Amino acid sequence: MTRIPNFADVAFERTATSAPSGSAEPWLTPEGILVKSAYGGADLAGLDFLETYPGIAPFLRGPYPTMYV
């Protein structure tokens, strides 16, 4: 007998979700960084380090491209 439930027997229902409206106020992290509720392509404009790879100058990213092994 196992204590792990058989999820194949669970009846899941699809629910309707709406996209975030973007009207939420930005919040401040403990480090003092403003975080918006949604970001778009315009927020990425001018960020030159997005095309870099770990281990190659300017070394602005983590040890792996996705931060996971």
Side-chain angles (χ1 to χ4, degrees), residues 29-52:
T29 67
E31 294 83 10
I33 301 169
L34 275 177
V35 179
K36 297 193 294 186
S37 61
Y39 289 88
D43 296 309
L44 300 177
L47 298 177
D48 59 347
F49 61 85
L50 293 178
E51 299 300 322
T52 64

Side-chain angles (χ1 to χ4, degrees), residues 53-55 59-69:
Y53 292 98
F59 308 111
L60 296 175
R61 300 184 70 191
Y64 305 101
T66 61
M67 290 299 300
Y68 300 101
V69 176

